Amino acid sequence: QLRLVESGGGLVQPGGSLKLSCAVSGSDSQLQSLSWYRQAPGQRREFVALVDRNDRTIYADSAKGRFTVSQESDKSMVYLQMSSLKPEDTAVYYCKAYRDGHDFWGRGAQVTVSS
């Protein structure tokens, strides 16, 4: 069973940067990808970025050029470096692992972009 715990959320000014971390326990060779999603108030949860077990990355259009997803080689941590943040990036950010056809989610970290 995988357990994911996000950290690093907080309040940041527009144009600022923030790095989210997600600790992954129970990871093994069957882990296929780690990804980030976000959910703004009153909105559906949306995909942000993904890194697979071969370090290939995929980004949502809203994240391209501003966000970078990375992981530790042992897949114990996944990161989301965010820069040039905008108020519309305000959301709860969730880490997700995909393994053997199952999704495992963390509880989320709040990111608020406001002056």
Side-chain angles (χ1 to χ4, degrees):
Q1 188 77 1
L2 290 171
R3 182 170 177 262
L4 296 88
V5 180
E6 301 92 340
S7 61
L11 174 65
V12 61
Q13 292 188 341
S17 298
L18 201 63
K19 185 175 184 178
L20 300 179
S21 301
C22 176
V24 184
S25 59
S27 176
D28 59 22
S29 61
Q30 301 303 312
L31 183 65
Q32 292 167 265
S33 68
L34 292 164
S35 52
W36 290 94
Y37 285 71
R38 68 186 183 185
Q39 187 167 18
Q43 303 294 317
R44 298 179 66 177
R45 192 172 296 187
E46 64 176 10
F47 169 77
V48 176
L50 176 149
V51 56
D52 73 9
R53 57 184 166 190
N54 296 312
D55 284 329
R56 291 175 296 199
T57 57
I58 301 172
Y59 294 93
D61 286 345
S62 60
K64 288 178 182 177
R66 299 189 302 128
F67 295 2
T68 301
V69 61
S70 60
Q71 64 186 347
E72 297 290 345
S73 57
D74 62 0
K75 312 298 186 283
S76 63
M77 296 289 294
V78 61
Y79 307 100
L80 186 68
Q81 176 69 53
M82 303 183 289
S83 61
S84 302
L85 283 162
K86 308 172 184 179
E88 51 264 42
D89 294 316
T90 295
V92 177
Y93 283 72
Y94 297 90
C95 175
K96 189 193 85 168
Y98 181 68
R99 178 183 181 276
D100 283 344
H102 296 283
D103 290 332
F104 299 86
W105 293 89
R107 291 190 175 185
Q110 176 70 47
V111 172
T112 302
V113 184
S114 175
S115 55

Coordinates of all heavy atoms in Angstrom, one line a residue, residues 46-114:
E46 N -7.9 19.0 -11.5 CA -7.3 19.0 -12.8 C -5.8 18.5 -12.7 O -5.1 18.8 -11.8 CB -7.4 20.4 -13.4 CG -6.6 21.5 -12.7 CD -6.7 22.8 -13.5 OE1 -7.5 22.9 -14.5 OE2 -5.9 23.7 -13.1
F47 N -5.4 17.9 -13.8 CA -4.0 17.5 -14.0 C -3.1 18.7 -14.1 O -3.4 19.6 -14.8 CB -3.9 16.6 -15.2 CG -2.6 16.2 -15.6 CD1 -1.8 15.3 -14.9 CD2 -2.0 16.9 -16.7 CE1 -0.5 15.0 -15.3 CE2 -0.7 16.6 -17.1 CZ 0.0 15.6 -16.4
V48 N -1.9 18.5 -13.5 CA -0.9 19.6 -13.6 C 0.4 19.0 -14.2 O 0.8 19.6 -15.2 CB -0.5 20.1 -12.2 CG1 0.6 21.1 -12.3 CG2 -1.8 20.7 -11.5
A49 N 0.9 18.0 -13.7 CA 2.2 17.4 -14.3 C 2.4 16.0 -13.8 O 1.8 15.6 -12.8 CB 3.4 18.3 -13.8
L50 N 3.2 15.3 -14.6 CA 3.4 13.9 -14.4 C 4.9 13.5 -14.7 O 5.5 14.1 -15.7 CB 2.5 13.0 -15.2 CG 2.7 11.5 -15.2 CD1 1.3 10.8 -15.5 CD2 3.7 11.0 -16.3
V51 N 5.5 12.6 -13.9 CA 6.8 12.1 -14.2 C 6.6 10.6 -14.2 O 6.1 10.0 -13.2 CB 7.9 12.6 -13.3 CG1 7.6 12.4 -11.9 CG2 9.2 12.1 -13.7
D52 N 7.1 9.8 -15.2 CA 6.9 8.4 -15.1 C 8.2 7.7 -14.6 O 9.2 8.4 -14.3 CB 6.5 7.8 -16.5 CG 7.6 7.9 -17.6 OD1 8.8 8.1 -17.2 OD2 7.3 7.6 -18.7
R53 N 8.2 6.4 -14.6 CA 9.4 5.7 -14.0 C 10.7 5.9 -14.8 O 11.7 5.5 -14.3 CB 9.0 4.3 -13.7 CG 8.6 3.5 -14.9 CD 8.2 2.1 -14.5 NE 7.5 1.4 -15.5 CZ 6.9 0.2 -15.2 NH1 6.9 -0.3 -14.0 NH2 6.2 -0.4 -16.2
N54 N 10.5 6.3 -16.0 CA 11.7 6.6 -16.9 C 12.1 8.1 -16.9 O 12.8 8.5 -17.8 CB 11.4 6.0 -18.3 CG 11.3 4.5 -18.3 OD1 12.1 3.8 -17.7 ND2 10.2 4.0 -18.9
D55 N 11.5 8.8 -16.0 CA 11.7 10.3 -15.9 C 11.2 11.1 -17.1 O 11.6 12.2 -17.3 CB 13.2 10.6 -15.7 CG 13.7 10.3 -14.3 OD1 12.9 10.4 -13.4 OD2 14.8 9.9 -14.1
R56 N 10.3 10.5 -17.8 CA 9.6 11.3 -18.9 C 8.5 12.1 -18.2 O 7.9 11.7 -17.3 CB 9.0 10.4 -19.9 CG 10.0 9.7 -20.8 CD 9.4 8.7 -21.7 NE 8.8 7.6 -21.0 CZ 8.5 6.5 -21.6 NH1 8.8 6.3 -22.9 NH2 7.9 5.5 -20.9
T57 N 8.4 13.4 -18.7 CA 7.4 14.3 -18.0 C 6.3 14.8 -19.0 O 6.6 14.8 -20.2 CB 8.2 15.5 -17.5 OG1 8.9 16.1 -18.5 CG2 9.1 15.1 -16.4
I58 N 5.2 15.1 -18.4 CA 4.1 15.6 -19.2 C 3.5 16.8 -18.3 O 3.4 16.6 -17.1 CB 3.0 14.6 -19.4 CG1 3.5 13.4 -20.2 CG2 1.8 15.2 -20.1 CD1 2.5 12.2 -20.3
Y59 N 3.1 17.8 -19.0 CA 2.6 19.0 -18.3 C 1.3 19.4 -18.9 O 1.1 19.4 -20.1 CB 3.6 20.2 -18.4 CG 4.9 19.9 -17.7 CD1 6.0 19.4 -18.3 CD2 5.0 20.3 -16.3 CE1 7.2 19.2 -17.7 CE2 6.2 20.1 -15.6 CZ 7.3 19.5 -16.3 OH 8.5 19.3 -15.6
A60 N 0.4 20.0 -18.1 CA -0.8 20.7 -18.5 C -0.3 22.0 -19.2 O 0.7 22.5 -18.9 CB -1.7 21.0 -17.4
D61 N -1.1 22.5 -20.1 CA -0.7 23.7 -20.8 C -0.5 24.8 -19.8 O 0.4 25.7 -20.0 CB -1.8 24.1 -21.8 CG -1.8 23.2 -23.0 OD1 -0.8 22.5 -23.3 OD2 -2.8 23.2 -23.8
S62 N -1.3 24.8 -18.7 CA -1.2 25.9 -17.7 C 0.1 25.9 -17.0 O 0.5 26.9 -16.3 CB -2.4 25.8 -16.8 OG -2.4 24.6 -16.1
A63 N 0.8 24.7 -17.0 CA 2.0 24.5 -16.2 C 3.3 24.6 -17.1 O 4.3 24.9 -16.5 CB 2.0 23.2 -15.5
K64 N 3.1 24.5 -18.4 CA 4.3 24.5 -19.3 C 5.1 25.8 -19.2 O 4.5 26.9 -19.2 CB 3.8 24.3 -20.7 CG 3.4 22.8 -21.0 CD 2.9 22.7 -22.4 CE 2.4 21.3 -22.7 NZ 1.9 21.1 -24.0
G65 N 6.4 25.7 -19.0 CA 7.2 26.8 -18.9 C 7.3 27.5 -17.5 O 8.2 28.3 -17.3
R66 N 6.4 27.1 -16.6 CA 6.5 27.7 -15.3 C 6.7 26.6 -14.2 O 7.3 27.0 -13.2 CB 5.1 28.4 -15.0 CG 4.8 29.5 -16.0 CD 3.6 30.3 -15.5 NE 2.4 29.5 -15.4 CZ 1.7 29.4 -14.3 NH1 2.0 30.1 -13.2 NH2 0.6 28.6 -14.2
F67 N 6.2 25.4 -14.4 CA 6.3 24.4 -13.4 C 7.3 23.3 -13.9 O 7.4 23.0 -15.1 CB 5.0 23.7 -13.1 CG 4.0 24.6 -12.5 CD1 4.2 26.0 -12.2 CD2 2.7 24.1 -12.2 CE1 3.2 26.8 -11.7 CE2 1.7 24.9 -11.6 CZ 2.0 26.3 -11.4
T68 N 8.0 22.7 -12.9 CA 8.9 21.6 -13.2 C 8.6 20.4 -12.2 O 8.7 20.7 -11.0 CB 10.4 22.0 -13.1 OG1 10.6 23.1 -14.1 CG2 11.3 20.8 -13.5
V69 N 8.4 19.2 -12.8 CA 8.2 18.1 -11.9 C 9.4 17.2 -12.0 O 10.1 17.1 -13.0 CB 6.9 17.3 -12.4 CG1 7.1 16.8 -13.8 CG2 6.6 16.1 -11.4
S70 N 9.8 16.7 -10.8 CA 11.0 15.8 -10.7 C 10.8 14.8 -9.6 O 9.9 14.9 -8.8 CB 12.2 16.7 -10.5 OG 12.1 17.4 -9.2
Q71 N 11.6 13.8 -9.6 CA 11.5 12.8 -8.6 C 12.9 12.3 -8.2 O 13.9 12.4 -8.9 CB 10.7 11.6 -9.1 CG 11.3 10.9 -10.3 CD 10.4 9.8 -10.9 OE1 9.4 9.4 -10.3 NE2 10.7 9.3 -12.1
E72 N 13.0 11.7 -7.0 CA 14.2 11.0 -6.6 C 14.3 9.7 -7.3 O 13.3 9.1 -7.8 CB 14.2 10.8 -5.1 CG 14.1 12.0 -4.2 CD 15.4 12.8 -4.2 OE1 16.4 12.3 -4.6 OE2 15.3 14.0 -3.8
S73 N 15.6 9.3 -7.5 CA 15.8 8.1 -8.3 C 15.1 6.8 -7.7 O 14.8 5.9 -8.4 CB 17.3 7.8 -8.4 OG 17.9 7.7 -7.1
D74 N 14.9 6.8 -6.4 CA 14.3 5.7 -5.7 C 12.8 5.9 -5.6 O 12.1 5.1 -5.0 CB 14.9 5.4 -4.3 CG 14.7 6.6 -3.4 OD1 14.1 7.6 -3.8 OD2 15.1 6.5 -2.2
K75 N 12.3 7.0 -6.2 CA 10.8 7.3 -6.3 C 10.2 7.5 -4.9 O 9.0 7.4 -4.7 CB 10.0 6.1 -7.0 CG 10.6 5.7 -8.3 CD 10.7 6.8 -9.3 CE 11.1 6.3 -10.7 NZ 12.6 6.0 -10.8
S76 N 11.1 7.9 -3.9 CA 10.6 8.1 -2.6 C 10.1 9.5 -2.4 O 9.4 9.8 -1.4 CB 11.7 7.9 -1.5 OG 12.8 8.8 -1.8
M77 N 10.4 10.4 -3.3 CA 10.0 11.8 -3.3 C 9.7 12.3 -4.7 O 10.3 11.9 -5.7 CB 11.0 12.7 -2.7 CG 11.4 12.5 -1.3 SD 10.1 12.9 -0.1 CE 10.1 14.7 -0.3
V78 N 8.6 13.1 -4.8 CA 8.3 13.8 -6.1 C 8.1 15.3 -5.7 O 7.6 15.6 -4.7 CB 7.1 13.2 -6.8 CG1 5.9 13.3 -5.9 CG2 6.9 13.8 -8.2
Y79 N 8.6 16.1 -6.6 CA 8.6 17.5 -6.4 C 7.8 18.3 -7.5 O 7.8 17.8 -8.6 CB 10.0 18.1 -6.3 CG 10.9 17.3 -5.3 CD1 11.8 16.4 -5.8 CD2 10.9 17.6 -4.0 CE1 12.6 15.7 -4.9 CE2 11.7 17.0 -3.1 CZ 12.6 16.0 -3.6 OH 13.4 15.3 -2.7
L80 N 7.3 19.4 -7.1 CA 6.8 20.3 -8.1 C 7.3 21.7 -7.8 O 6.9 22.4 -6.8 CB 5.2 20.3 -8.1 CG 4.6 21.2 -9.2 CD1 4.8 20.5 -10.6 CD2 3.1 21.3 -8.9
Q81 N 8.2 22.2 -8.7 CA 8.8 23.5 -8.6 C 7.9 24.4 -9.4 O 7.8 24.2 -10.6 CB 10.2 23.5 -9.1 CG 10.8 24.9 -9.1 CD 11.1 25.5 -7.7 OE1 11.7 24.8 -6.8 NE2 10.6 26.7 -7.4
M82 N 7.4 25.4 -8.7 CA 6.5 26.4 -9.4 C 7.0 27.8 -9.4 O 7.5 28.2 -8.3 CB 5.1 26.4 -8.7 CG 4.5 25.0 -8.6 SD 2.8 25.0 -7.8 CE 3.3 25.4 -6.1
S83 N 7.0 28.4 -10.5 CA 7.5 29.8 -10.6 C 6.5 30.6 -11.4 O 5.6 30.1 -12.0 CB 8.9 29.8 -11.2 OG 8.8 29.3 -12.5
S84 N 6.8 31.9 -11.3 CA 5.9 32.9 -12.0 C 4.4 32.6 -11.6 O 3.5 32.6 -12.5 CB 6.0 32.8 -13.5 OG 7.4 33.1 -13.9
L85 N 4.2 32.4 -10.4 CA 2.9 32.0 -9.9 C 1.8 33.1 -10.1 O 2.2 34.3 -10.0 CB 2.9 31.6 -8.4 CG 3.5 30.2 -8.2 CD1 3.9 30.0 -6.8 CD2 2.5 29.1 -8.6
K86 N 0.6 32.7 -10.4 CA -0.5 33.6 -10.7 C -1.6 33.4 -9.7 O -1.7 32.2 -9.1 CB -1.0 33.4 -12.1 CG 0.0 33.4 -13.2 CD -0.6 33.0 -14.5 CE 0.5 33.0 -15.6 NZ -0.1 32.5 -16.9
P87 N -2.5 34.3 -9.4 CA -3.6 34.1 -8.5 C -4.4 32.9 -8.9 O -5.0 32.2 -8.1 CB -4.4 35.4 -8.6 CG -3.4 36.4 -8.9 CD -2.4 35.7 -9.8
E88 N -4.5 32.6 -10.2 CA -5.3 31.5 -10.7 C -4.7 30.1 -10.4 O -5.2 29.1 -10.7 CB -5.7 31.6 -12.2 CG -4.5 31.9 -13.1 CD -4.3 33.4 -13.4 OE1 -4.5 34.2 -12.4 OE2 -4.0 33.7 -14.5
D89 N -3.4 30.2 -9.9 CA -2.8 28.9 -9.5 C -3.2 28.5 -8.1 O -2.8 27.5 -7.6 CB -1.3 29.1 -9.5 CG -0.7 29.2 -10.9 OD1 -1.2 28.5 -11.8 OD2 0.2 30.1 -11.1
T90 N -4.0 29.4 -7.4 CA -4.4 29.1 -6.1 C -5.3 27.8 -6.1 O -6.3 27.8 -6.8 CB -5.2 30.3 -5.5 OG1 -4.4 31.4 -5.3 CG2 -5.9 29.9 -4.2
A91 N -5.0 26.9 -5.3 CA -5.7 25.6 -5.2 C -5.1 24.7 -4.2 O -4.0 25.0 -3.6 CB -5.6 24.9 -6.6
V92 N -5.7 23.6 -3.9 CA -5.1 22.5 -3.1 C -4.4 21.6 -4.2 O -5.0 21.2 -5.1 CB -6.2 21.7 -2.4 CG1 -5.5 20.6 -1.6 CG2 -6.9 22.6 -1.4
Y93 N -3.2 21.3 -3.9 CA -2.4 20.5 -4.8 C -2.2 19.1 -4.2 O -1.8 19.0 -3.1 CB -1.0 21.2 -5.0 CG -1.1 22.3 -6.0 CD1 -1.6 23.5 -5.6 CD2 -0.5 22.3 -7.3 CE1 -1.7 24.6 -6.4 CE2 -0.6 23.3 -8.1 CZ -1.2 24.5 -7.7 OH -1.3 25.6 -8.6
Y94 N -2.5 18.1 -5.1 CA -2.5 16.7 -4.6 C -1.4 16.0 -5.4 O -1.2 16.2 -6.6 CB -3.8 16.1 -4.9 CG -5.0 16.7 -4.1 CD1 -5.8 17.7 -4.7 CD2 -5.3 16.1 -2.9 CE1 -6.8 18.2 -4.0 CE2 -6.4 16.7 -2.2 CZ -7.2 17.7 -2.7 OH -8.2 18.2 -2.0
C95 N -0.8 15.1 -4.7 CA 0.2 14.2 -5.3 C -0.5 12.8 -5.5 O -1.4 12.4 -4.7 CB 1.3 14.0 -4.3 SG 2.6 12.8 -4.7
K96 N -0.3 12.2 -6.7 CA -0.9 10.9 -7.0 C 0.1 10.0 -7.5 O 1.0 10.3 -8.3 CB -2.0 11.1 -8.0 CG -2.8 9.9 -8.3 CD -3.7 10.0 -9.5 CE -2.9 9.6 -10.7 NZ -3.7 9.4 -12.0
A97 N 0.0 8.7 -7.1 CA 0.9 7.6 -7.6 C 0.0 6.7 -8.3 O -1.2 6.4 -8.0 CB 1.6 6.9 -6.4
Y98 N 0.5 6.1 -9.4 CA -0.2 5.1 -10.2 C 0.6 3.8 -10.2 O 1.7 3.8 -10.6 CB -0.4 5.6 -11.7 CG -1.2 4.7 -12.5 CD1 -2.5 4.4 -12.3 CD2 -0.5 4.0 -13.6 CE1 -3.2 3.5 -13.1 CE2 -1.2 3.1 -14.4 CZ -2.6 2.9 -14.2 OH -3.3 2.0 -15.0
R99 N -0.1 2.8 -9.7 CA 0.6 1.5 -9.6 C -0.4 0.4 -9.8 O -1.4 0.3 -9.2 CB 1.2 1.4 -8.2 CG 1.9 0.1 -7.8 CD 2.4 0.2 -6.4 NE 3.1 -1.0 -6.0 CZ 2.5 -2.1 -5.6 NH1 1.2 -2.2 -5.5 NH2 3.3 -3.2 -5.2
D100 N 0.0 -0.5 -10.7 CA -0.8 -1.7 -11.0 C -2.3 -1.4 -11.2 O -3.2 -2.0 -10.7 CB -0.7 -2.7 -9.8 CG 0.6 -3.4 -9.8 OD1 1.2 -3.5 -10.8 OD2 0.9 -4.0 -8.7
G101 N -2.6 -0.3 -12.0 CA -3.9 0.0 -12.3 C -4.7 0.8 -11.2 O -5.9 1.0 -11.4
H102 N -4.0 1.2 -10.2 CA -4.7 1.9 -9.0 C -4.0 3.2 -8.8 O -2.8 3.4 -9.0 CB -4.5 1.0 -7.8 CG -5.2 -0.3 -7.8 ND1 -6.6 -0.4 -7.7 CD2 -4.7 -1.5 -8.0 CE1 -6.9 -1.7 -7.8 NE2 -5.8 -2.4 -8.0
D103 N -4.9 4.2 -8.4 CA -4.4 5.5 -8.1 C -4.3 5.6 -6.5 O -5.2 5.1 -5.8 CB -5.4 6.6 -8.6 CG -5.3 6.7 -10.1 OD1 -4.3 6.5 -10.7 OD2 -6.3 7.1 -10.6
F104 N -3.3 6.2 -6.0 CA -3.1 6.5 -4.6 C -2.9 8.0 -4.5 O -2.0 8.6 -5.1 CB -1.9 5.7 -4.1 CG -2.0 4.2 -4.2 CD1 -1.6 3.6 -5.4 CD2 -2.6 3.5 -3.2 CE1 -1.8 2.2 -5.5 CE2 -2.7 2.1 -3.3 CZ -2.3 1.5 -4.5
W105 N -3.7 8.6 -3.6 CA -3.6 10.0 -3.4 C -3.2 10.5 -2.1 O -3.4 9.8 -1.1 CB -5.1 10.6 -3.6 CG -5.6 10.5 -5.0 CD1 -6.4 9.4 -5.5 CD2 -5.6 11.4 -6.0 NE1 -6.7 9.6 -6.7 CE2 -6.3 10.9 -7.1 CE3 -5.0 12.7 -6.2 CZ2 -6.4 11.5 -8.4 CZ3 -5.1 13.3 -7.4 CH2 -5.8 12.8 -8.4
G106 N -2.5 11.6 -2.1 CA -2.2 12.3 -0.8 C -3.4 13.1 -0.4 O -4.4 13.2 -1.1
R107 N -3.3 13.8 0.7 CA -4.4 14.6 1.3 C -4.3 16.1 0.8 O -5.3 16.8 1.0 CB -4.3 14.6 2.8 CG -4.7 13.3 3.4 CD -4.9 13.3 4.9 NE -5.3 12.1 5.4 CZ -5.6 11.9 6.7 NH1 -5.6 12.9 7.5 NH2 -6.0 10.7 7.1
G108 N -3.3 16.4 0.1 CA -3.2 17.8 -0.5 C -2.5 18.8 0.3 O -2.3 18.7 1.6
A109 N -2.0 19.8 -0.4 CA -1.4 21.0 0.3 C -1.9 22.3 -0.4 O -2.0 22.4 -1.6 CB 0.1 20.9 0.0
Q110 N -2.3 23.2 0.5 CA -2.9 24.4 0.0 C -1.8 25.4 -0.5 O -0.8 25.6 0.2 CB -3.7 25.1 1.1 CG -4.2 26.5 0.8 CD -5.4 26.4 -0.2 OE1 -6.3 25.5 -0.1 NE2 -5.4 27.2 -1.3
V111 N -2.0 25.9 -1.7 CA -1.2 26.9 -2.3 C -2.1 28.1 -2.6 O -3.1 28.0 -3.3 CB -0.5 26.5 -3.6 CG1 0.2 27.6 -4.3 CG2 0.5 25.3 -3.3
T112 N -1.7 29.3 -2.0 CA -2.5 30.5 -2.2 C -1.6 31.5 -2.8 O -0.5 31.8 -2.2 CB -3.1 31.0 -0.9 OG1 -3.9 30.0 -0.3 CG2 -3.9 32.3 -1.1
V113 N -2.0 32.1 -3.9 CA -1.2 33.1 -4.6 C -2.0 34.4 -4.5 O -3.0 34.6 -5.1 CB -0.9 32.8 -6.1 CG1 0.0 33.8 -6.7 CG2 -0.3 31.4 -6.2
S114 N -1.4 35.3 -3.7 CA -2.2 36.6 -3.4 C -1.2 37.6 -2.9 O -0.2 37.3 -2.2 CB -3.3 36.3 -2.4 OG -3.9 37.5 -2.0

